[in-house]
Structure formats: structure tokens, C-alpha cells
């Protein structure tokens, strides 16, 4: 019987054998470099050098980002970008450009010229959509003030400087013109045509005035409380609050299936701070909401919380059982973490980094990168057992996204505190006390460790090799 197994290394497929006790025709094959590297890592113990940790590399910088673009401005290697973001986040200097690709404002393979045209289209479409709901609110509430109509709000009173992208006169519902200085007559005609197309586009979108008024009432409760400690939203009459409000109402008006729900303001504020553009923030926010809209519906969030329960049960049965005994096994205390992307558990800048790392979707259990990680874990297990066990992969639950591993990492980080709690009330108080106090680098290393442990656990010892 074979005393070693067929193994796929990180770089090549290699069959490792040694002479069989009853057949000398089998020859010895030298250990390939990939496996020797794994063996060397095994000699240094389980804890790897944190400088090589997947989530703790230097952030994506401008030079690296520019190197990913071809001469026409196409970002030709989407995988490399997502991998770089996952490994270390994004340097603030290039965050705006990176997010425009990651969150759907620009297709990865669009040229710089194509993006100029798309930006013009997006400008006119957004402002026509915004003008439409404002016009409807005005026309259905004639004789009332703008605040009574819902076009404006009391907390927006003050000396506001809206800049180029906002209305100079809301009563007229005019779409702000683009700067056409130093452009040809032909280009001006093309822009005019795009504006007409945007008017047709906005006019064809279904809209329900009752739903808009309902959304406005909720939005006007949330906007004044959104990140007011952040420099971008500080001060009375801050123009960015008006922009935040306009985007949220525009989204709710033209996405009736989702509408508006509390928490969307916290998500949008990230995009507005990073992109510093009303139009870009609207389209990136809309694109992102398309991917997570089920989280704002009961069945979607319940499913995600169930996945957190399943993952915790797999990696820490003791803690899972304790939470069950305290009647908080439904993990509802994780709801805010998942809904807002851990925004309130970390300082604002760190929460941006975690948000982009999770949104990179690089290290998901269905990816080829994860399959390579599993291969490495199989190799390590094989070496630990001295070549005495043959291992094969068990099915992974590909619904376990990286954000769920972050959830479990945060729970395990306060594991002893949770185990000391005697009931659900104490557990909720303990979890609530985490706000703004978590160490992101530590949590990312822990989440990665749990991720690798899960990959390792999915490897099943099939049988003991017998000479």
C-alpha cells in the first residue's frame, strides 16, 4: 500500500511516493520546493509571522494602483486589485479612485475616455431623478412651505454653500449645468443630448408620492444624527447634510422594493466622505445596496445571523452553548455589526479600512485562492502526522463570508467576558460596550486565524496508513 499520497502543492501538482514494502518498482521522488517551504513553516510552529498576514500588508498605494492601469486607463486585473485591498486596505490618497471601481461607478475594463462619458451620463441622470421627486413633492403640496412639502428640512436652515452639484434654486427644480468652458460646440451638443436622455430616463421611472413622504419623515429623523462628530458633517447648516438627505430620498424614491430603512444613512456617509461627490456617492451607494439589500429585509438578516450561529458552533462550541443557555443564541446582538459593516465598533478611519477589506470579496470560500489555502492546510496536516494520514477535503460552507469570520473573531476576543455573563442582558451590555474600542489589526489577524482554522477543520482524516 502507498505510504504517501498525491498532493497538489501551491505551485505545482506532484505525486510523492516512497518504495512500497512489497514492490520495489516504486522510486523515491524528492520533496518539491513548495512542500519544503510548508515544512519549514511547520518547524516554526502554528503562529505565522504577522508581517505576512493576509490582512496586515501595507495598504494599496497610488503607485501600485497606477501600475494596474493599461495605457488607455483600463484596470485590467480586477483580481489583483481586490487582493491588494483585502491584504491591507487602501491608502487614503487613492481610496476615492479605488472605490469608484470597487463599488460599480466605473466598469473595471472601461477606458479613461469612456469614464468621462459615463460620468456625464451619471451627472444628468442623478440630477433629473432628484429634480423629479422634488417637483412632485412641490406640485402635490402647493401653498405650503418647502419644509412642509418635504423639499427641505428645518435642520438644514443656515448659510449653505451647496457647490456645483446642488440646486441654486430648489423652487425652480433646475438641474445644475456641467462646466462647458473650453469645450467644443460638438461636445456641448453631445452633453445636451445626454441631458435630454436623462430627462426621458427619469420620467419613465415609477414613483409613489406616498412612499416618498413616508421615507422623508424617517430620513429627517436620521440625517441630523449622522456622524456629526466627523469633520465632514460638523456644524449647523452643514451643506453635506443636505446632500446626504437628497441622496437618501432619491434612492428611496426610485428603489421602492427597498425604500429607506434606518442604517442606510450610516452606510451612505462613508461614500460621501470618501468620494466627496453627490453624484458619485449616489451611484456607488446604489450599487452597494443592490448587493446587500436583503440585509435590510427581515428574512435576509435572519439568514445571515443563522450563518453566524452555525460558524460559531463549528469553531467554538463552548461559547456557542453558553450563548444558547443565556437565551441569546439567535445572535441578534450582531445585527448592527453586519448591517453597518462594523462602523460603530471601530474609529471612523479604521471602519473605512474594514469596510473596503470586506467589500473586496477576495477571500471568499468559493474562490480559487481559498482552494489554494486548503491545499496548504492539507500539506501542513500531512507533515504534522509524519505522512501517516491521508487527507481529503470536506465540503466548505461557501455562505460563510469573511464578515462572518470577523463577527466570530470579535466574539472570541471578548470570550471570557461573555462566558462570565449570567444572562442575556449582561451579554448585550458587554457587546454594546465594544463601540469604538476594538483593535482592528488584532481582530483581522484573529479573523484570518479562524478562517484558516475552518479550512483546516474541513480536512478529514480518511484512514491511517498501514504498511
Amino acid at each position: 500500500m502507498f505510504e504517501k499520497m498525491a498532493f497538489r502543492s501551491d505551485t505545482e501538482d506532484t505525486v510523492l511516493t516512497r518504495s512500497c514494502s512489497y514492490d520495489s518498482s516504486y522510486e523515491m521522488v524528492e520533496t518539491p520546493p513548495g512542500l519544503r517551504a510548508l515544512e519549514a513553516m511547520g518547524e516554526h510552529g502554528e503562529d505565522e509571522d504577522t508581517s505576512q498576514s493576509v490582512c496586515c500588508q501595507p495598504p494599496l498605494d497610488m503607485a501600485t494602483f497606477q501600475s494596474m492601469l493599461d495605457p488607455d486607463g483600463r484596470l485590467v486585473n480586477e483580481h489583483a486589485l481586490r487582493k491588494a485591498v483585502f491584504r491591507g486596505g487602501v491608502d487614503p490618497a487613492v481610496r476615492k479612485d479605488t472605490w469608484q471601481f470597487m463599488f460599480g461607478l466605473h466598469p473595471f475594463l472601461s477606458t479613461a475616455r469612456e469614464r468621462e462619458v459615463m460620468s456625464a451620463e451619471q451627472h444628468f441622470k442623478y440630477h433629473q431623478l432628484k429634480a423629479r421627486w422634488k417637483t412632485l413633492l412641490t406640485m402635490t403640496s402647493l401653498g405650503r412651505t418647502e419644509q412642509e412639502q418635504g423639499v427641505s428640512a428645518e435642520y438644514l436652515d443656515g448659510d449653505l454653500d451647496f457647490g456645483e452639484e446642488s440646486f441654486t434654486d430648489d423652487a425652480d427644480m433646475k438641474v445644475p449645468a456641467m462646466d462647458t468652458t473650453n469645450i467644443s460646440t460638438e461636445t456641448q451638443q453631445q452633453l445636451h443630448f445626454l441631458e435630454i436622455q436623462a430627462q426621458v430616463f427619469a420620467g419613465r421611472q415609477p414613483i409613489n408620492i406616498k412612499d416618498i413622504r413616508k421615507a422623508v419623515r424617517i430620513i429627517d429623523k436620521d440625517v441630523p444624527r449622522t456622524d456629526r462628530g466627523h469633520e465632514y458633517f460638523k456644524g449647523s447648516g452643514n451643506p453635506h447634510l443636505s446632500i446626504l438627505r437628497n441622496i437618501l430620498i432619491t434612492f428611496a424614491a426610485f428603489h421602492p422594493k427597498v425604500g429607506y430603512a434606518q442604517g442606510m444613512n450610516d452606510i451612505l456617509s462613508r461614500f460621501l466622505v470618501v468620494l466627496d461627490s453627490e453624484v458619485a456617492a449616489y451611484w456607488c451607494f446604489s450599487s452597494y445596496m443592490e448587493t446587500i439589500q436583503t440585509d435590510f429585509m427581515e428574512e435576509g438578516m435572519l439568514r445571515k445571523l443563522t450563518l453566524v450561529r452555525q460558524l460559531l458552533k463549528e469553531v467554538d462550541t463552548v461559547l456557542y452553548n453558553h450563548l444558547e443557555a443565556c437565551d441569546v443564541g439567535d445572535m441578534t446582538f450582531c445585527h448592527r455589526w453586519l448591517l453597518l459593516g462594523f462602523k460603530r465598533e471601530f474609529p471612523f478611519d479604521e471602519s473605512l479600512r474594514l469596510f473596503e477589506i470586506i467589500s473586496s470579496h477576495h477571500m471568499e470560500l468559493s474562490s480559487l485562492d481559498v482552494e489554494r489555502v486548503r491545499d496548504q492546510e492539507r500539506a501542513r496536516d500531512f507533515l504534522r502526522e509524519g505522512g501517516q494520514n491521508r487527507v481529503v477535503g470536506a465540503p466548505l460552507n461557501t455562505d460563510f463570508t469573511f464578515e462572518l469570520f470577523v463577527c466570530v473573531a470579535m466574539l472570541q476576543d471578548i470570550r471570557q467576558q461573555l462566558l462570565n455573563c449570567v444572562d442575556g442582558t449582561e451579554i448585550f451590555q458587554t457587546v454594546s460596550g465594544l463601540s469604538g474600542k476594538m483593535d482592528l489589526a488584532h481582530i483581522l489577524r484573529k479573523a484570518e486565524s479562524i478562517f484558516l482554522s475552518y479550512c483546516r477543520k474541513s480536512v478529514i482524516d480518511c484512514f491511517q496508513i498501514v504498511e
Side-chain angles (χ1 to χ4, degrees):
M1 191 170 196
F2 285 96
E3 293 189 319
K4 286 198 176 180
M5 55 171 283
F7 171 71
R8 178 177 175 268
S9 74
D10 192 36
T11 56
E12 58 185 328
D13 292 327
T14 307
V15 177
L16 306 178
T17 66
R18 65 177 180 230
S19 57
C20 196
S21 58
Y22 55 84
D23 190 343
S24 59
S25 64
Y26 289 96
E27 64 175 312
M28 184 72 172
V29 179
E30 290 296 323
T31 304
L35 190 54
R36 284 200 296 270
L38 289 172
E39 188 171 8
M41 281 191 289
E43 292 175 358
H44 296 291
E46 294 293 324
D47 296 328
E48 297 180 31
D49 180 5
T50 56
S51 66
Q52 296 303 313
S53 179
V54 172
C55 298
C56 298
Q57 300 296 308
L60 174 69
D61 58 21
M62 181 63 77
T64 305
F65 176 80
Q66 291 290 342
S67 71
M68 295 178 177
L69 302 174
D70 73 4
D72 293 320
R74 300 181 186 88
L75 207 158
V76 293
N77 194 336
E78 177 182 349
H79 176 79
L81 177 77
R82 294 187 180 278
K83 183 176 182 179
V85 173
F86 180 81
R87 284 180 175 273
V90 184
D91 187 288
V94 73
R95 181 169 276 150
K96 179 177 180 178
D97 293 331
T98 304
W99 279 34
Q100 288 177 345
F101 284 103
M102 279 183 51
F103 293 104
L105 185 68
H106 303 314
F108 282 88
L109 294 180
S110 61
T111 65
R113 175 59 185 149
E114 289 169 341
R115 292 196 289 273
E116 289 179 5
V117 176
M118 284 186 283
S119 293
E121 292 176 345
Q122 291 159 347
H123 170 91
F124 288 121
K125 281 185 177 180
Y126 168 71
H127 284 294
Q128 288 292 346
L129 290 171
K130 184 171 69 169
R132 187 169 177 218
W133 66 256
K134 289 201 171 193
T135 300
L136 284 175
L137 286 178
T138 301
M139 297 301 293
T140 56
S141 308
L142 293 176
R144 299 182 181 181
T145 66
E146 287 189 351
Q147 292 180 9
E148 291 172 336
Q149 292 169 347
V151 173
S152 185
E154 183 177 355
Y155 58 86
L156 299 178
D157 286 346
D159 183 17
L160 303 183
D161 176 15
F162 291 103
E164 293 181 0
E165 287 190 350
S166 293
F167 294 105
T168 56
D169 184 355
D170 278 339
D172 292 337
M173 303 305 159
K174 294 178 181 177
V175 172
M178 297 191 71
D179 183 7
T180 57
T181 307
N182 299 324
I183 64 174
S184 66
T185 301
E186 180 182 358
T187 301
Q188 291 184 36
Q189 292 174 343
Q190 291 173 341
L191 290 175
H192 181 62
F193 178 69
L194 290 177
E195 185 173 10
I196 294 173
Q197 283 187 315
Q199 290 174 350
V200 174
F201 167 79
R204 289 177 174 175
Q205 304 307 307
I207 192 168
N208 186 309
I209 196 67
K210 290 183 179 179
D211 290 343
I212 294 176
R213 293 191 185 281
K214 181 181 178 181
V216 167
R217 287 194 293 271
I218 304 173
I219 289 169
D220 282 339
K221 292 179 181 178
D222 289 347
V223 167
R225 303 178 295 191
T226 305
D227 290 323
R228 298 311 299 277
H230 193 282
E231 193 64 34
Y232 199 81
F233 295 104
K234 275 185 179 178
S236 62
N238 189 312
H240 297 135
L241 293 179
S242 179
I243 293 172
L244 186 74
R245 179 182 190 268
N246 286 336
I247 295 174
L248 290 172
I249 298 176
T250 305
F251 177 83
F254 297 101
H255 295 80
K257 183 179 178 181
V258 185
Y260 176 79
Q262 289 182 324
M264 291 183 183
N265 56 312
D266 283 296
I267 294 173
L268 173 58
S269 69
R270 282 192 181 113
F271 288 104
L272 204 48
V273 169
V274 170
L275 300 171
D276 194 28
S277 162
E278 183 173 0
V279 172
Y282 171 78
W283 292 111
C284 286
F285 172 73
S286 298
S287 177
Y288 177 72
M289 286 302 303
E290 286 181 10
T291 66
I292 68 154
Q293 60 182 328
T294 56
D295 290 358
F296 284 88
M297 302 173 186
E298 183 178 3
E299 63 274 15
M301 183 51 69
L302 286 176
R303 178 180 177 276
K304 189 164 282 189
L305 292 175
T306 298
L307 289 171
V308 176
R309 294 178 71 243
Q310 293 173 355
L311 180 57
L312 180 63
K313 187 176 182 179
E314 289 218 27
V315 302
D316 193 337
T317 305
V318 173
L319 180 56
Y320 169 84
N321 289 336
H322 177 70
L323 296 178
E324 286 282 345
C326 292
D327 293 325
V328 289
D330 56 6
M331 303 292 173
T332 52
F333 51 83
C334 295
H335 176 270
R336 187 182 75 185
W337 298 356
L338 295 167
L339 193 68
L340 304 185
F342 309 94
K343 180 180 179 181
R344 297 180 185 169
E345 282 57 55
F346 299 90
F348 189 87
D349 289 343
E350 288 194 354
S351 75
L352 287 181
R353 180 170 172 241
L354 179 56
F355 181 67
E356 61 200 9
I357 286 173
I358 290 173
S359 299
S360 71
H361 300 300
H362 170 67
M363 193 63 80
E364 304 295 353
L365 288 168
S366 58
S367 71
L368 293 175
D369 292 85
V370 171
E371 191 58 38
R372 283 193 287 271
V373 169
R374 294 188 76 198
D375 285 346
Q376 291 174 348
E377 295 308 314
R378 291 176 194 144
R380 291 191 180 97
D381 282 353
F382 188 73
L383 292 170
R384 289 188 196 100
E385 298 295 329
Q388 294 303 303
N389 288 339
R390 179 180 179 180
V391 295
V392 297
L396 290 170
N397 187 340
T398 55
D399 290 330
F400 289 164
T401 54
F402 190 71
E403 65 179 338
L404 304 185
F405 287 92
V406 173
C407 271
V408 173
M410 291 171 63
L411 292 175
Q412 286 205 321
D413 194 52
I414 56 169
R415 185 176 190 271
Q416 193 54 53
Q417 294 171 255
L418 293 174
L419 291 175
N420 290 339
C421 294
V422 297
D423 56 34
T425 301
E426 287 191 10
I427 287 177
F428 269 94
Q429 290 174 344
T430 300
V431 171
S432 298
L434 297 177
S435 183
K437 298 178 181 178
M438 304 297 288
D439 181 337
L440 180 58
H442 173 69
I443 293 299
L444 286 174
R445 285 193 296 268
K446 199 170 190 69
E448 179 190 355
S449 175
I450 296 170
F451 179 87
L452 294 176
S453 176
Y454 177 71
C455 289
R456 190 177 301 122
K457 191 174 182 179
S458 69
V459 176
I460 300 175
D461 289 341
C462 287
F463 53 81
Q464 185 78 18
I465 302 299
V466 179
E467 291 257 4

